[in-house]
Amino acid sequence: MNVHRAKRGFGWGIIATLAMSTLMLVGFLTGAAPMPRPIPEAVVSLVVGDVAPPIRMLSAVSAHLFYGGVFGALLAVTVDRMSARTGLALGVALWIAMGVVVLPLVGWGFFGVGVTPKIAAATLVLHLIYGGVLGWALDRTSEATTSTTATAG
């Protein structure tokens, strides 16, 4: 495994998660988000039970950033030719996994339609932002790394 690529992917995965989370936060602050609560918070509540809100939110944010970083690292080490399209494909795959596994586990039904069908569309947009930012950033930084290496050699 290329540790440099994994670290770069992890870092960009966190950045992409922050981009996705910023839009999610704006949705909650404006009342536009169709979810009853942030999905990472619902997952943390499912796993650890009822804990104090500050601990629950800190755990939710930490977990969300961590698994965003992990999937960024996995993408970086498994795909040789990176592109925004590759990142978007990862975003769609993660959205499907979330919609089929995670949302039913937290009691919202497949893709959240047990609460409202709007959750499916909103979470797709969020995952496309994550994947698009991740793929674009990894593509841009791999070109910079490749051209720097080629110039130095």
Side-chain angles (χ1 to χ4, degrees), residues 27-56:
F28 277 102
L29 292 175
T30 62
M35 290 79 78
R37 63 201 274 194
I39 296 167
E41 180 192 3
V43 171
V44 165
S45 294
L46 176 72
V47 173
V48 299
D50 194 23
V51 296
I55 294 170
R56 186 176 59 240

Side-chain angles (χ1 to χ4, degrees), residues 9-45:
F10 190 86
W12 283 117
I14 289 173
I15 299 295
T17 304
L18 288 170
M20 165 193 206
S21 299
T22 300
L23 182 61
M24 185 170 47
L25 180 62
V26 167
F28 277 102
L29 292 175
T30 62
M35 290 79 78
R37 63 201 274 194
I39 296 167
E41 180 192 3
V43 171
V44 165
S45 294

